Coordinates of all heavy atoms in Angstrom, one line a residue:
V1 N 9.1 5.1 134.7 CA 10.3 4.4 134.5 C 10.4 3.8 133.1 O 9.5 3.2 132.7 CB 10.5 3.3 135.6 CG1 11.7 2.5 135.4 CG2 10.4 3.9 137.0
N2 N 11.5 4.2 132.5 CA 11.8 3.6 131.2 C 12.6 2.3 131.3 O 13.5 2.3 132.2 CB 12.4 4.6 130.2 CG 11.5 5.7 129.9 OD1 10.3 5.6 129.8 ND2 12.1 6.9 129.7
R3 N 12.4 1.4 130.4 CA 13.2 0.2 130.4 C 14.0 0.2 129.1 O 13.5 0.4 128.0 CB 12.3 -1.0 130.5 CG 13.1 -2.3 130.5 CD 12.3 -3.5 130.8 NE 13.1 -4.6 130.6 CZ 12.7 -5.8 130.5 NH1 11.4 -6.1 130.6 NH2 13.5 -6.8 130.4
H4 N 15.3 -0.2 129.2 CA 16.1 -0.4 127.9 C 16.6 -1.8 127.9 O 17.1 -2.3 128.9 CB 17.3 0.6 128.1 CG 16.8 2.0 128.1 ND1 16.5 2.7 129.3 CD2 16.6 3.0 127.1 CE1 16.1 3.9 129.1 NE2 16.1 4.1 127.8
E5 N 16.6 -2.4 126.7 CA 17.0 -3.7 126.5 C 18.6 -3.9 126.4 O 19.1 -4.9 126.8 CB 16.4 -4.4 125.3 CG 14.9 -4.5 125.4 CD 14.5 -5.6 126.4 OE1 15.2 -6.6 126.6 OE2 13.4 -5.4 127.0
T6 N 19.2 -2.8 126.0 CA 20.7 -2.9 125.8 C 21.3 -1.6 126.3 O 20.6 -0.6 126.5 CB 21.0 -3.0 124.3 OG1 20.6 -1.8 123.7 CG2 20.4 -4.2 123.7
L7 N 22.6 -1.7 126.6 CA 23.3 -0.5 127.0 C 23.3 0.6 126.0 O 23.1 1.8 126.2 CB 24.8 -0.9 127.3 CG 25.7 0.3 127.8 CD1 25.2 1.0 129.0 CD2 27.1 -0.2 127.9
A8 N 23.4 0.2 124.7 CA 23.3 1.1 123.6 C 22.0 1.9 123.6 O 22.0 3.1 123.4 CB 23.5 0.4 122.3
E9 N 20.9 1.2 123.8 CA 19.6 1.9 123.9 C 19.6 2.9 125.1 O 19.1 4.0 124.9 CB 18.5 0.9 124.1 CG 18.0 0.2 122.9 CD 16.9 -0.8 123.2 OE1 16.1 -0.5 124.1 OE2 16.7 -1.7 122.5
L10 N 20.1 2.5 126.2 CA 20.2 3.3 127.4 C 21.0 4.6 127.1 O 20.6 5.7 127.4 CB 20.8 2.6 128.6 CG 21.0 3.5 129.8 CD1 19.7 3.7 130.6 CD2 22.0 2.8 130.7
L11 N 22.2 4.4 126.5 CA 23.0 5.5 126.2 C 22.5 6.4 125.1 O 22.9 7.6 125.1 CB 24.4 5.0 125.8 CG 25.1 4.2 126.9 CD1 26.5 3.7 126.4 CD2 25.2 5.0 128.2
A12 N 21.7 5.9 124.3 CA 21.0 6.8 123.2 C 19.8 7.6 123.7 O 19.4 8.5 123.0 CB 20.6 5.9 122.0
D13 N 19.4 7.3 124.9 CA 18.2 7.9 125.5 C 18.5 9.3 126.0 O 19.3 9.5 126.9 CB 17.6 7.1 126.5 CG 16.2 7.6 127.1 OD1 15.9 8.8 126.9 OD2 15.5 6.9 127.7
P14 N 18.0 10.4 125.3 CA 18.3 11.8 125.8 C 17.8 12.1 127.2 O 18.3 13.0 127.8 CB 17.8 12.7 124.7 CG 16.7 11.9 124.0 CD 17.1 10.4 124.2
A15 N 16.9 11.3 127.7 CA 16.3 11.6 129.0 C 17.2 11.0 130.1 O 17.0 11.4 131.3 CB 14.9 10.9 129.1
V16 N 18.2 10.2 129.8 CA 19.1 9.7 130.7 C 20.3 10.7 130.9 O 21.0 10.9 130.0 CB 19.6 8.3 130.3 CG1 20.7 7.8 131.3 CG2 18.5 7.3 130.2
D17 N 20.4 11.1 132.2 CA 21.5 12.1 132.5 C 22.7 11.4 133.1 O 23.9 11.8 133.0 CB 21.1 13.1 133.4 CG 20.0 14.1 132.8 OD1 20.1 14.4 131.6 OD2 19.1 14.4 133.5
L18 N 22.4 10.3 133.9 CA 23.4 9.6 134.7 C 23.2 8.1 134.6 O 22.1 7.6 134.6 CB 23.3 10.1 136.2 CG 24.3 9.4 137.1 CD1 24.8 10.5 138.1 CD2 23.7 8.3 137.9
V19 N 24.4 7.4 134.5 CA 24.3 6.0 134.5 C 25.0 5.5 135.7 O 26.1 5.9 136.1 CB 25.1 5.4 133.2 CG1 25.2 3.9 133.2 CG2 24.4 6.0 132.0
D20 N 24.3 4.6 136.5 CA 24.8 4.0 137.7 C 25.4 2.6 137.3 O 24.6 1.7 136.9 CB 23.8 3.8 138.7 CG 24.2 3.3 140.1 OD1 25.4 3.1 140.2 OD2 23.4 3.2 141.0
V21 N 26.7 2.4 137.3 CA 27.3 1.2 136.8 C 27.5 0.2 138.0 O 28.2 0.5 138.9 CB 28.7 1.5 136.2 CG1 29.4 0.2 135.7 CG2 28.5 2.5 135.0
C22 N 26.8 -0.9 137.9 CA 26.8 -1.9 138.9 C 26.9 -3.3 138.3 O 26.3 -4.3 138.7 CB 25.5 -1.9 139.7 SG 25.2 -0.3 140.6
N23 N 27.8 -3.4 137.3 CA 28.0 -4.7 136.7 C 29.3 -5.3 137.2 O 30.0 -4.6 138.1 CB 27.9 -4.6 135.2 CG 28.9 -3.6 134.6 OD1 29.6 -2.9 135.3 ND2 28.9 -3.4 133.3
P24 N 29.7 -6.5 136.8 CA 31.0 -7.0 137.3 C 32.2 -6.0 137.1 O 32.2 -5.4 136.1 CB 31.2 -8.3 136.5 CG 29.8 -8.7 136.2 CD 29.0 -7.4 135.9
T25 N 33.0 -6.0 138.1 CA 34.1 -5.0 138.0 C 35.0 -5.1 136.7 O 35.4 -4.0 136.2 CB 35.1 -5.2 139.2 OG1 34.3 -5.1 140.4 CG2 36.2 -4.1 139.3
A26 N 35.2 -6.2 136.2 CA 35.9 -6.3 135.0 C 35.2 -5.6 133.8 O 35.9 -5.3 132.8 CB 36.1 -7.8 134.6
Q27 N 34.0 -5.4 133.9 CA 33.2 -4.7 132.8 C 33.1 -3.2 133.0 O 32.6 -2.5 132.2 CB 31.8 -5.4 132.6 CG 31.8 -6.8 132.2 CD 30.5 -7.4 132.2 OE1 29.5 -6.8 132.7 NE2 30.4 -8.7 131.9
H28 N 33.5 -2.8 134.2 CA 33.4 -1.3 134.5 C 34.0 -0.4 133.5 O 33.3 0.5 133.0 CB 33.9 -1.0 135.9 CG 33.0 -1.5 137.0 ND1 33.4 -1.4 138.3 CD2 31.8 -2.1 137.0 CE1 32.4 -1.8 139.1 NE2 31.5 -2.3 138.3
P29 N 35.3 -0.6 133.1 CA 35.9 0.4 132.2 C 35.2 0.5 130.9 O 34.9 1.6 130.4 CB 37.3 -0.2 132.0 CG 37.6 -1.0 133.2 CD 36.3 -1.6 133.6
E30 N 34.8 -0.6 130.3 CA 34.1 -0.6 129.0 C 32.7 0.2 129.1 O 32.4 1.0 128.3 CB 33.8 -2.0 128.5 CG 33.0 -2.1 127.3 CD 32.8 -3.5 126.9 OE1 33.7 -4.3 126.9 OE2 31.6 -3.8 126.6
T31 N 32.0 -0.1 130.2 CA 30.7 0.5 130.4 C 30.8 2.0 130.7 O 30.1 2.8 130.2 CB 30.0 -0.2 131.6 OG1 29.9 -1.6 131.2 CG2 28.6 0.3 131.7
V32 N 31.8 2.3 131.6 CA 31.9 3.7 132.1 C 32.3 4.5 130.9 O 31.8 5.6 130.6 CB 32.9 3.7 133.2 CG1 33.4 5.2 133.5 CG2 32.3 3.1 134.5
I33 N 33.3 4.1 130.1 CA 33.8 4.9 129.0 C 32.7 5.1 127.9 O 32.6 6.2 127.4 CB 35.1 4.3 128.5 CG1 36.2 4.4 129.5 CG2 35.5 4.9 127.1 CD1 37.5 3.7 129.2
A34 N 32.0 4.0 127.7 CA 30.9 4.2 126.7 C 29.9 5.2 127.2 O 29.4 6.0 126.4 CB 30.2 2.8 126.5
A35 N 29.5 5.2 128.4 CA 28.6 6.1 129.0 C 29.1 7.6 129.0 O 28.4 8.5 128.5 CB 28.2 5.7 130.4
L36 N 30.3 7.7 129.3 CA 30.9 9.1 129.3 C 31.0 9.6 127.8 O 30.7 10.7 127.5 CB 32.3 9.0 129.9 CG 32.4 8.8 131.4 CD1 33.8 8.4 131.8 CD2 31.9 10.1 132.1
E37 N 31.4 8.7 126.9 CA 31.4 9.1 125.5 C 30.1 9.5 124.9 O 30.0 10.2 124.0 CB 32.1 8.1 124.6 CG 33.6 8.0 124.9 CD 34.3 6.9 124.2 OE1 33.7 6.0 123.6 OE2 35.6 6.9 124.2
A38 N 29.0 8.9 125.5 CA 27.6 9.2 125.1 C 27.1 10.5 125.8 O 26.0 10.8 125.6 CB 26.7 8.0 125.4
G39 N 28.0 11.1 126.6 CA 27.6 12.4 127.3 C 26.9 12.2 128.6 O 26.3 13.2 129.1
K40 N 27.0 11.0 129.2 CA 26.3 10.8 130.4 C 27.3 11.0 131.6 O 28.5 10.7 131.5 CB 25.8 9.3 130.5 CG 24.9 8.9 129.3 CD 23.8 9.8 129.0 CE 23.0 9.2 127.8 NZ 21.9 10.1 127.4
H41 N 26.8 11.4 132.7 CA 27.5 11.4 134.0 C 27.5 10.0 134.4 O 26.6 9.2 134.1 CB 26.9 12.3 135.0 CG 27.0 13.7 134.7 ND1 28.1 14.5 134.8 CD2 26.1 14.6 134.2 CE1 27.9 15.7 134.4 NE2 26.7 15.8 134.0
V42 N 28.4 9.5 135.3 CA 28.6 8.1 135.7 C 28.8 8.0 137.2 O 29.6 8.8 137.7 CB 29.7 7.4 134.9 CG1 29.9 6.0 135.5 CG2 29.4 7.4 133.4
L43 N 28.1 7.1 137.8 CA 28.4 6.7 139.2 C 28.8 5.3 139.1 O 28.0 4.4 138.5 CB 27.1 6.9 140.1 CG 27.2 6.4 141.5 CD1 28.2 7.2 142.3 CD2 25.8 6.4 142.1
V44 N 29.9 4.9 139.6 CA 30.4 3.5 139.4 C 30.7 2.9 140.8 O 31.3 3.6 141.7 CB 31.6 3.4 138.5 CG1 32.8 4.2 139.0 CG2 32.0 2.0 138.2
E45 N 30.2 1.7 141.1 CA 30.4 1.1 142.4 C 31.9 0.7 142.6 O 32.7 0.7 141.6 CB 29.6 -0.2 142.5 CG 30.0 -1.3 141.5 CD 29.2 -2.5 141.5 OE1 28.3 -2.7 142.4 OE2 29.4 -3.4 140.6
K46 N 32.3 0.5 143.8 CA 33.6 0.0 144.2 C 33.7 -1.4 143.9 O 32.8 -2.1 144.1 CB 33.9 0.4 145.6 CG 34.0 1.8 145.9 CD 34.3 2.0 147.4 CE 34.3 3.4 147.8 NZ 34.6 3.6 149.3
A47 N 34.8 -1.9 143.5 CA 36.0 -1.2 143.1 C 35.8 -0.8 141.7 O 35.1 -1.4 140.8 CB 37.2 -2.2 143.1
I48 N 36.3 0.4 141.4 CA 35.9 1.0 140.1 C 36.6 0.3 138.9 O 36.1 0.3 137.8 CB 36.2 2.5 140.0 CG1 37.7 2.8 140.0 CG2 35.4 3.3 141.0 CD1 38.0 4.2 139.6
A49 N 37.8 -0.4 139.2 CA 38.5 -1.1 138.2 C 39.4 -2.1 138.8 O 39.6 -2.1 140.0 CB 39.3 -0.2 137.3
L50 N 39.9 -3.1 138.0 CA 40.8 -4.1 138.5 C 42.2 -3.6 138.5 O 43.1 -4.2 139.1 CB 40.6 -5.4 137.7 CG 39.2 -6.1 137.9 CD1 39.2 -7.3 136.9 CD2 39.0 -6.5 139.3
T51 N 42.5 -2.6 137.6 CA 43.8 -2.1 137.5 C 43.8 -0.6 137.6 O 42.9 0.0 137.2 CB 44.5 -2.5 136.2 OG1 43.8 -1.9 135.1 CG2 44.5 -4.1 136.0
A52 N 45.0 0.0 138.0 CA 45.1 1.4 138.0 C 45.1 2.0 136.6 O 44.5 3.1 136.4 CB 46.4 1.8 138.7
E53 N 45.5 1.2 135.6 CA 45.5 1.7 134.2 C 44.1 1.9 133.7 O 43.7 2.8 133.1 CB 46.3 0.7 133.3 CG 47.8 0.7 133.6 CD 48.2 -0.1 134.8 OE1 47.4 -0.9 135.3 OE2 49.4 0.0 135.2
D54 N 43.2 0.9 134.1 CA 41.8 1.0 133.7 C 41.1 2.2 134.4 O 40.3 2.9 133.8 CB 41.0 -0.3 134.0 CG 41.3 -1.3 133.0 OD1 41.7 -1.0 131.8 OD2 41.0 -2.5 133.3
A55 N 41.4 2.4 135.7 CA 40.9 3.5 136.4 C 41.3 4.8 135.8 O 40.5 5.8 135.6 CB 41.3 3.5 137.9
D56 N 42.6 4.9 135.4 CA 43.1 6.1 134.7 C 42.5 6.4 133.4 O 42.2 7.5 133.0 CB 44.6 6.0 134.5 CG 45.4 6.1 135.8 OD1 44.9 6.6 136.8 OD2 46.6 5.7 135.8
R57 N 42.2 5.3 132.6 CA 41.5 5.4 131.4 C 40.1 6.0 131.6 O 39.6 6.8 130.8 CB 41.3 4.1 130.6 CG 42.6 3.6 130.0 CD 42.5 2.4 129.1 NE 41.7 1.3 129.6 CZ 40.5 0.9 129.0 NH1 40.1 1.6 127.9 NH2 39.8 -0.1 129.5
M58 N 39.4 5.6 132.6 CA 38.0 6.1 132.9 C 38.1 7.5 133.3 O 37.3 8.4 132.9 CB 37.4 5.2 134.0 CG 37.0 3.8 133.5 SD 36.1 2.9 134.7 CE 37.2 2.6 136.0
L59 N 39.1 7.9 134.2 CA 39.2 9.3 134.6 C 39.5 10.2 133.4 O 39.0 11.3 133.2 CB 40.3 9.4 135.6 CG 39.9 8.8 137.0 CD1 41.2 8.8 137.9 CD2 38.8 9.5 137.6
A60 N 40.4 9.7 132.5 CA 40.7 10.5 131.3 C 39.5 10.7 130.4 O 39.3 11.7 129.8 CB 41.8 9.8 130.5
A61 N 38.6 9.6 130.3 CA 37.4 9.7 129.5 C 36.5 10.7 130.0 O 35.8 11.5 129.3 CB 36.8 8.3 129.4
A62 N 36.4 10.8 131.4 CA 35.5 11.8 132.1 C 36.0 13.2 131.8 O 35.2 14.1 131.5 CB 35.5 11.5 133.6
K63 N 37.3 13.3 131.8 CA 37.9 14.6 131.6 C 37.6 15.1 130.1 O 37.2 16.3 129.9 CB 39.4 14.7 131.9 CG 40.0 16.0 131.8 CD 41.4 16.0 132.2 CE 42.0 17.4 132.2 NZ 43.4 17.4 132.7
R64 N 37.8 14.2 129.2 CA 37.6 14.5 127.8 C 36.1 14.8 127.5 O 35.8 15.7 126.7 CB 37.9 13.3 126.9 CG 39.4 13.2 126.6 CD 39.7 12.1 125.5 NE 39.0 10.8 125.7 CZ 39.5 9.8 126.4 NH1 40.6 9.9 127.0 NH2 38.8 8.7 126.5
A65 N 35.2 14.1 128.2 CA 33.8 14.3 128.0 C 33.2 15.5 128.8 O 32.1 15.9 128.6 CB 33.0 13.1 128.4
G66 N 34.0 16.0 129.8 CA 33.5 17.1 130.6 C 32.4 16.6 131.5 O 31.4 17.3 131.8
R67 N 32.4 15.3 131.9 CA 31.4 14.8 132.8 C 32.1 14.3 134.1 O 33.3 14.1 134.2 CB 30.7 13.6 132.1 CG 30.0 13.9 130.8 CD 28.7 14.7 131.2 NE 28.0 15.1 130.1 CZ 27.9 16.3 129.6 NH1 28.5 17.3 130.1 NH2 27.1 16.6 128.6
L68 N 31.2 14.0 135.0 CA 31.7 13.5 136.3 C 31.6 12.0 136.4 O 30.7 11.4 135.7 CB 30.8 14.1 137.5 CG 30.9 15.6 137.6 CD1 29.9 16.0 138.7 CD2 32.2 16.1 137.9

């Protein structure tokens, strides 16, 4: 098991394929989009976002990145 001190370190690790997002819901969009842009697949806990607009931004980021 590897440990990362920051999200940036985790996202830079080529051994990480998927990020499981379990932080406060208000932080989900920022975290999810950063992970997708880093080429990672993402699993995000419910509720995925506080607004439909944030959820749509995350879905659009997944589509652009070609990730789930």
Side-chain angles (χ1 to χ4, degrees):
V1 175
N2 293 329
R3 181 174 175 194
H4 301 86
E5 294 292 326
T6 66
L7 177 62
E9 283 182 23
L10 173 78
L11 299 180
D13 186 341
V16 174
D17 295 321
L18 180 138
V19 176
D20 186 1
V21 177
C22 300
N23 54 0
T25 305
Q27 296 173 358
H28 287 177
E30 175 184 312
T31 305
V32 168
I33 292 169
L36 291 164
E37 289 177 347
K40 311 303 182 187
H41 293 284
V42 175
L43 176 67
V44 61
E45 68 182 350
K46 292 180 184 176
I48 68 165
L50 295 176
T51 67
E53 292 80 13
D54 280 342
D56 288 342
R57 288 189 315 115
M58 292 188 291
L59 292 171
K63 187 174 183 176
R64 281 192 309 274
R67 296 291 182 251
L68 301 175

